Amino acid sequence: MDQPDSVTISVTPTIAAKLLIPLLGKLHTSLPDIKLHTLATEAVSDFDRDQVDIAVRLTKKSFPENLEAQLLFRQELIVVASPFLVQ
């Protein structure tokens, strides 16, 4: 399989800020001949219409059979509230 010249990755703004942006330098060093294009959006990607190669989303939805989905990590959500709110 030929290596692409560019890869477009769609991520949520939170994933872009917390995970992707801090790794961009390492990605460029590891893959210097590949241009990485990022699309930070909450919208679910349409791979053909949006010309997206990879999408990272927080979801449990099932995906069409023609797409490959991999769990990256489990997420723990907690609620934080003012003590005055919970009296």
Side-chain angles (χ1 to χ4, degrees):
M1 178 182 271
D2 290 333
Q3 186 174 357
D5 294 336
S6 67
V7 172
T8 300
I9 182 169
S10 174
V11 295
T12 62
T14 299
I15 292 173
K18 300 286 184 181
L19 296 175
L20 185 60
I21 291 172
L23 294 174
L24 287 177
K26 287 182 182 180
L27 283 170
H28 180 69
T29 300
S30 298
L31 305 166
D33 298 329
I34 297 178
K35 291 182 183 178
L36 181 63
H37 304 280
T38 59
L39 176 63
T41 179
E42 294 288 344
V44 176
S45 296
D46 179 316
F47 286 80
D48 293 326
R49 181 194 66 219
D50 301 333
Q51 297 181 344
V52 169
D53 299 301
I54 301 168
V56 178
R57 292 292 182 274
L58 301 172
T59 185
K60 287 189 176 186
K61 294 181 181 180
S62 60
F63 297 94
E65 286 185 19
N66 65 329
L67 298 177
E68 182 177 334
Q70 296 290 324
L71 177 65
L72 296 177
F73 54 85
R74 299 210 181 276
Q75 180 179 10
E76 182 178 336
L77 299 176
I78 58 172
V79 175
V80 179
S82 164
F84 301 108
L85 182 63
V86 292
Q87 288 184 12

